[in-house]
Amino acid sequence: MMLGKLIAGSLGFMVSGPFGAVLGLYVGHQFDRGVGGFTRPVSAADQARIRAAFFETVFSLLGHVAKADGRVSTVEVSQAESLMVKMNLDAVARRRAIDLFKEGSGANFSVDDAMQRFMDVCGRNNNLKQQLLNCLISLAVADGDLHSGEQDVLRKVASHLGFSSALFDQFIQMIKAQSQFGGAGSGAGGQSRPSRNRLADAYQALGVSDKSSMGEVKKAYRKLISQNHPDKLIGQGMPEDMVSLATQKTQEIQGAYDLIVKHLKES
């Protein structure tokens, strides 16, 4: 299966037109031009290199982001451990993840060097670049607080990945909104009408506005769901044990979409 075809089908992010019109137009334009995609099947060797680069970059940067405010808190350690549990890591992989986290929190860690290594391996695949940023931001905001130091690191990572400051800011807002729809019962199943703030979060989560038509909402929703499709991500080299994060993101997107649909039907 051609990776370029997968990207064309899944991007139009993170995740895309979903990040809003600006991000959607940017990513869609890049891929329409064939920029950033492989033009050949991904070999087993390529996939192995991509998986290793993704794993190493995520955990080392998590450690660096955690230390960005001066100290690694118990909450941040718990978040990293929770990720390892979700990934169902074996003892060897868990030890490697811990070592990478510690390395990233060290005084001599270089974001520039880490991102250069990542870009050397994954730089032609915009989808994986967006997934990396999504993982880092999602975990950084999991405790409800995004420290300025953490945001500075994430902004630097985004710059290395080729995202403008404006796109990064929009990305932050989308992921914060999406995180409001991750729990049980967070969708449209309740009896009462959604609050104005919760409805605003749902539109923000999909990267659209409350002025968008049902067709525009559905288009954004489909792009987001497609981009987080496990089979597509694995085919592009994303480690299988990290796909659980994309699955969680799909549930959040679904919850936001269901709420909007319910609201529009009742309006």
Side-chain angles (χ1 to χ4, degrees):
M1 183 177 293
M2 296 297 289
L3 184 55
K5 184 177 181 180
L6 288 176
I7 296 174
S10 63
L11 287 182
F13 118 18
M14 160 159 209
V15 53
S16 339
F19 280 86
V22 177
L23 180 57
L25 287 173
Y26 170 79
V27 176
H29 178 61
Q30 292 295 89
F31 278 88
D32 284 344
R33 294 175 54 198
V35 175
F38 290 93
T39 57
R40 56 183 174 78
V42 182
S43 68
D46 284 338
Q47 288 188 334
R49 291 176 63 238
I50 291 170
R51 284 194 296 269
F54 201 99
F55 184 92
E56 292 172 3
T57 306
V58 165
F59 279 102
S60 62
L61 285 177
L62 282 178
H64 193 69
V65 170
K67 191 64 179 293
D69 59 357
R71 59 181 292 273
V72 180
S73 70
T74 55
V75 172
E76 289 164 330
V77 171
S78 296
Q79 290 170 357
E81 291 177 342
S82 177
L83 174 59
M84 295 177 204
V85 171
K86 287 180 181 179
M87 293 171 64
N88 196 29
L89 299 183
D90 60 25
V92 174
R94 182 182 177 85
R95 182 69 257 172
R96 176 59 174 155
I98 292 172
D99 289 344
L100 287 165
F101 187 92
K102 290 180 178 179
E103 178 185 319
S105 65
N108 296 324
F109 180 78
S110 169
V111 173
D112 293 332
D113 290 347
M115 290 308 302
Q116 183 60 60
R117 290 192 294 270
F118 177 83
M119 292 297 287
D120 286 345
V121 178
C122 306
R124 293 189 295 169
N125 190 324
N126 281 3
N127 196 18
L128 289 181
K129 290 191 289 184
Q130 291 174 8
Q131 289 290 344
L132 172 65
L133 193 56
N134 179 61
C135 288
L136 296 174
I137 294 176
S138 293
L139 289 165
V141 304
D143 61 354
D145 182 34
L146 185 60
H147 187 274
S148 60
E150 296 174 329
Q151 186 160 327
D152 288 343
V153 172
L154 292 170
R155 190 178 298 278
K156 187 174 186 179
V157 170
S159 178
H160 275 285
L161 294 172
F163 294 106
S164 69
S165 181
L167 288 176
F168 171 74
D169 290 338
Q170 189 169 21
F171 198 179
I172 290 281
Q173 294 306 312
M174 281 192 68
I175 292 178
K176 283 184 176 180
Q178 289 166 2
S179 69
Q180 303 302 309
F181 297 90
S186 63
Q191 294 290 329
S192 60
R193 294 175 64 85
S195 68
R196 180 171 298 180
N197 287 343
R198 187 154 182 76
L199 192 59
D201 283 340
Y203 280 109
Q204 179 70 68
L206 299 188
V208 295
S209 76
D210 57 4
K211 305 299 182 184
S212 300
S213 67
M214 188 61 228
E216 292 169 330
V217 170
K218 186 175 294 186
K219 182 179 180 180
Y221 159 75
R222 287 175 174 171
K223 286 181 179 179
L224 281 167
I225 291 295
S226 179
Q227 187 169 17
N228 287 278
H229 194 287
D231 291 343
K232 292 180 178 180
L233 294 175
I234 292 172
Q236 293 169 17
M238 187 174 184
E240 291 188 37
D241 45 19
M242 300 202 75
V243 172
S244 60
L245 297 179
T247 300
Q248 177 180 327
K249 185 61 59 181
T250 297
Q251 294 170 348
E252 295 170 356
I253 294 164
Q254 186 68 56
Y257 176 72
D258 289 345
L259 189 68
I260 294 173
V261 171
K262 180 176 184 290
H263 168 71
L264 293 178
K265 287 182 177 180
E266 293 177 351
S267 298

